[in-house]
Amino acid sequence: MEQDRMKIYGIAAILLIIVAGISSFWLLEDLSADELMIIQSPVSGELTVHTRPGIKWQGFGSVTKYSKLETYEFEIPVRFNDGGNGTIHGSINYENPLDRDNMLELHTKYGSQESIQKDLIEVVTNKCVYMTGPLMSSKESYAEKRTNLIFYIEDQITKGVYKTIQKDLKVKDPVTGQDKTVTVAEISMKEGAPERQEVAVLGSLGIKTSNFAVTKLPYGLYRDWE
């Protein structure tokens, strides 16, 4: 009888260890230094934001991890005011916010790091590139306004899209040499500063951007960025 009892105790102890081992995957979660994490309680649904590395209490809740810093690499078509076109290749770094309110807003709207990049960072960057093209001609984009191209895109990403004024100008076609009328966009200025047609979406959500860079710009009709 004593031996049977010991066997039962032994089996129970083994089962307890197995259950504890399995449960540990749902009780605790490790957070690395380059990530932040949101845990949703399975009972109350309360969302807890963790930004400091270490072991965190999970309590059988669902875990979503985000990168503190990510890089978005892009290839975006651009069309200039003379009808020329190209593809801007480059990258931009972005940091997710570390404060609770902004991070919870991002989490409830997008739900994952992949969605933040695809549905937010990519959309904003594409729009700013699209809005920058009409501000210059193809020739200007690789000559006198080459640095402006980068500045205009980055400035709109961080501070909001420009409000512009449309004007018709007569220019020579760089291919045929014939005069043609093109519609160009000029930045609307007020008290020496560009007017914005909308607030900076990324900034309003606490996302910081840095190191915007253009690596090359192949043109459809003109020369490459070199």
Side-chain angles (χ1 to χ4, degrees), residues 49-115:
V49 180
H50 296 282
T51 59
R52 295 182 179 180
I55 303 296
K56 310 300 177 183
W57 175 253
Q58 180 181 351
F60 295 99
S62 61
V63 175
T64 306
K65 291 185 177 181
Y66 294 88
S67 301
K68 288 183 177 178
L69 175 67
E70 271 289 351
T71 300
Y72 169 50
E73 297 181 349
F74 54 81
E75 297 179 13
I76 305 174
V78 59
R79 186 174 181 84
F80 302 100
N81 60 31
D82 60 354
N85 61 82
T87 302
I88 294 182
H89 298 243
S91 63
I92 186 171
N93 292 342
Y94 64 96
E95 300 176 49
N96 283 317
L98 299 181
D99 64 286
R100 181 180 184 277
D101 291 344
N102 277 321
M103 198 59 229
L104 287 183
E105 185 173 358
L106 281 171
H107 179 68
T108 54
K109 284 183 176 179
Y110 300 99
S112 69
Q113 183 67 51
E114 292 75 18
S115 292

Side-chain angles (χ1 to χ4, degrees), residues 187-218:
I187 301 171
S188 177
M189 305 293 288
K190 185 176 182 180
E191 297 179 355
E195 289 191 276
R196 311 281 172 170
Q197 70 177 31
E198 60 183 46
V199 299
V201 177
L202 302 185
S204 67
L205 292 169
I207 295 177
K208 298 178 182 179
T209 59
S210 61
N211 295 332
F212 177 84
V214 173
T215 55
K216 63 177 181 177
L217 202 174

